[in-house]
Amino acid sequence: MPDQEQAEVRLIVARLRQEHEDYDVAINAMIATGCDALRVQRMKKKKLVIKDKLTKLEDQIIPNIIA
């Protein structure tokens, strides 16, 4: 992967990590305030989608080398 492309992917990963953390904080706040369980589940699902994207992008950055 070229350096330019890898830098762009790292930037996207950093943004997604922040978004994932923001969802975590929001979910905890929703639970603390007694928000509707369905809304909490939807937020958790969105958070999981972000985590999946993060995993795929991190796999692109770190090569899978079997020694």
Side-chain angles (χ1 to χ4, degrees), residues 6-27 46-62:
Q6 189 171 8
E8 290 174 4
V9 171
R10 287 184 188 274
L11 185 63
I12 293 169
V13 166
R15 184 183 53 81
L16 286 174
R17 280 188 186 144
Q18 182 62 48
E19 190 174 348
H20 186 263
E21 187 177 321
D22 291 345
Y23 269 102
D24 194 38
V25 170
I27 289 168
K46 289 178 183 180
K47 182 180 164 190
L48 184 59
V49 169
I50 292 170
K51 182 66 174 176
D52 290 342
K53 288 179 185 179
L54 263 172
T55 302
K56 287 179 184 178
L57 288 173
E58 287 171 343
D59 287 345
Q60 288 180 3
I61 295 171
I62 303 170

Side-chain angles (χ1 to χ4, degrees), residues 25-54:
V25 170
I27 289 168
N28 288 335
M30 289 171 74
I31 291 170
T33 60
C35 191
D36 181 31
L38 183 60
R39 292 182 76 187
V40 172
Q41 278 304 116
R42 287 180 181 158
M43 292 288 281
K44 286 183 178 181
K45 188 172 182 177
K46 289 178 183 180
K47 182 180 164 190
L48 184 59
V49 169
I50 292 170
K51 182 66 174 176
D52 290 342
K53 288 179 185 179
L54 263 172

